[in-house]
Amino acid sequence: HDNGLRHFDRSAVARVLEYSARLREDQRKLSTRMQDIANVITEASYWAGNAGHEIVTADDVAQAIVQKIYRANLIEDYVLERLIDGTIDVDTEGSRIGQINGLAVIGVGDYVFGQPSRISARVALGSGDIESIEREINQSGPTHGKGFLILTGYLRGQYGKKAPLAIRATITFEQSYSGVDGDSASSVELYALLSAIGEIPLRQDIAVTGSVDQYGTVQAVGGVTDKVEGFFKVCKARGLTGTQGVIVPATNVPSLMLLPEVVDAVKAGQFHIWAVESIDEGIELLTDLPAGEMDDDGNYPPESVHGKVAARLEEYARQAQAFSAQHTATSPDGHVDPVKSPTTPLDKESQAL
């Protein structure tokens, strides 16, 4: 009334309420960012007049939202173009060992969008060192560092009870040249690490977000709506196959306020959103293998994910032991050289210390 705007019908009011909940990132709450909502209402009235509507409809509100995004998403379009032409390497089909699609959120001014990024892991013989390349070169923040140490704790607790972890692993965000922070990729990094250790291919038509605790519970993260839409846009541009989708924490489901085209694609079975509560649920989706449950003797089924990972870790331990024995120097009479032997008794002073 104060601004001389057209009246809104029921569908238009509902669309404004959806937009308000999207600003709040919560299906159960509405935003109090009244100026942002007022701007959309004003522009929706303009587009209604432009279309010759006496009453504002849901389509007019949707047009206002689309135009608002269009004015701010130049950087997003540039990134999407690089993803489509392969400059930024992210697969949306097939399977690969030790590689997985993570999801990041990028902010440009007051506009935020999601972008998939490839996370990779490599494993070799070692003494249990698991390194984040970003953390080693001081490109990760403290929250990311905490998340990485938590996934390391999960790995040691899950597989290090019967034998030491005789591996050296590195994990990195490929083609990332700026800082990384947040723990929303900790579950993603863990999936990549399990794949690399067990030599188990991961589906590349699925992107993942979610943090993890030391017991393998997948926890909620921020920006989940933008992350889902970011991967959807890449898949849509390359062609939806009907198998693509995103794994999100189950506790994040109430936070999803997706654009209508994403909702329609999910309803049509062209795109999928899986909500998981644990690493076991996620790894089964990514590998099409059972996660595997430990029996009373502490063993996993051999054809399960945990079984394959545990078997490879045991093999690494045997190789490390054999390598150590092979390179222990011995004297001509068959006695172990006390200078080079790792089992040489300590001298009296050292023993006292």
Side-chain angles (χ1 to χ4, degrees):
H1 179 271
D2 293 342
N3 293 279
L5 304 181
R6 290 169 172 78
H7 289 288
F8 284 55
D9 68 14
R10 290 174 180 267
S11 68
V13 172
R15 191 69 184 87
V16 171
L17 290 175
E18 287 180 4
Y19 178 73
S20 177
R22 180 181 171 88
L23 290 177
R24 183 62 181 81
E25 286 192 89
D26 196 321
Q27 298 171 8
R28 303 158 297 187
K29 297 182 179 181
L30 299 177
S31 173
T32 55
R33 289 162 55 181
M34 298 305 181
Q35 187 59 55
D36 290 337
I37 297 169
N39 289 341
V40 168
I41 290 173
T42 301
E43 188 167 347
S45 179
Y46 164 79
W47 288 111
N50 195 56
H53 300 160
E54 292 185 8
I55 303 294
V56 179
T57 66
D59 289 340
D60 299 320
V61 178
Q63 176 73 349
I65 295 171
V66 167
Q67 292 297 322
K68 182 178 186 298
I69 293 173
Y70 175 76
R71 292 192 295 270
N73 74 340
L74 181 63
I75 300 299
E76 181 184 21
D77 284 348
Y78 175 81
V79 171
L80 183 60
E81 184 180 343
R82 300 285 81 79
L83 284 161
I84 295 170
D85 67 19
T87 302
I88 301 176
D89 187 10
V90 170
D91 292 328
T92 54
E93 296 184 60
S95 299
R96 301 183 73 171
I97 294 174
Q99 296 188 28
I100 188 171
N101 292 324
L103 295 166
V105 172
I106 299 174
V108 182
D110 63 349
Y111 182 71
V112 177
F113 65 93
Q115 175 191 337
S117 61
R118 184 163 58 97
I119 296 174
S120 66
R122 295 298 302 268
V123 178
L125 277 175
S127 56
D129 298 318
I130 302 171
E131 300 174 344
S132 164
I133 291 178
E134 279 75 22
R135 188 164 173 259
E136 292 297 315
I137 62 174
N138 298 320
Q139 272 198 345
S140 74
T143 308
H144 174 262
K146 178 181 179 180
F148 184 80
L149 292 175
I150 287 173
L151 76 87
T152 302
Y154 167 87
L155 195 71
R156 289 171 176 158
Q158 188 81 1
Y159 303 108
K161 296 176 181 178
K162 298 175 67 175
L165 301 182
I167 61 171
R168 182 182 181 90
T170 55
I171 302 176
T172 190
F173 290 75
E174 302 287 0
Q175 294 182 287
S176 173
Y177 309 106
S178 57
V180 175
D181 201 6
D183 64 348
S184 63
S186 57
S187 69
V188 193
E189 293 171 309
L190 180 54
Y191 292 133
L193 187 56
L194 295 178
S195 170
I197 295 172
E199 297 184 341
I200 307 169
L202 296 176
R203 290 175 56 178
Q204 301 299 294
D205 55 356
I206 297 178
V208 186
T209 186
S211 68
V212 66
D213 69 12
Q214 293 192 96
Y215 294 92
T217 302
V218 175
Q219 303 170 134
V221 295
V224 66
T225 295
D226 296 308
K227 292 174 180 178
V228 171
E229 291 175 351
F231 191 63
F232 172 80
K233 290 173 183 177
V234 176
C235 294
K236 179 184 176 184
R238 293 181 175 179
L240 294 173
T241 63
T243 65
Q244 297 149 331
V246 177
I247 294 176
V248 303
T251 46
N252 265 132
V253 171
S255 303
L256 289 171
M257 287 301 303
L258 300 166
L259 292 171
E261 65 169 338
V262 183
V263 175
D264 292 341
V266 171
K267 287 181 178 179
Q270 297 177 318
F271 193 76
H272 305 274
I273 299 174
W274 295 280
V276 302
E277 296 181 351
S278 67
I279 289 295
D280 285 358
E281 292 179 20
I283 201 67
E284 288 181 350
L285 287 167
L286 289 163
T287 63
D288 295 323
L289 292 173
E293 293 187 10
M294 182 184 292
D295 61 22
D296 295 337
D297 297 324
N299 299 315
Y300 294 101
E303 292 305 312
S304 66
V305 173
H306 291 313
K308 289 178 178 291
V309 172
R312 287 295 297 161
L313 288 171
E314 290 174 9
E315 178 61 24
Y316 277 123
R318 284 193 293 269
Q319 290 178 7
Q321 185 178 29
F323 181 86
S324 177
Q326 180 182 357
H327 289 77
T328 298
T330 58
S331 62
D333 59 359
H335 291 89
V336 176
D337 186 339
V339 176
K340 299 180 180 179
S341 171
T343 57
T344 302
L346 299 175
D347 56 48
K348 293 182 179 179
E349 183 180 356
S350 298
Q351 288 177 339
L353 291 175

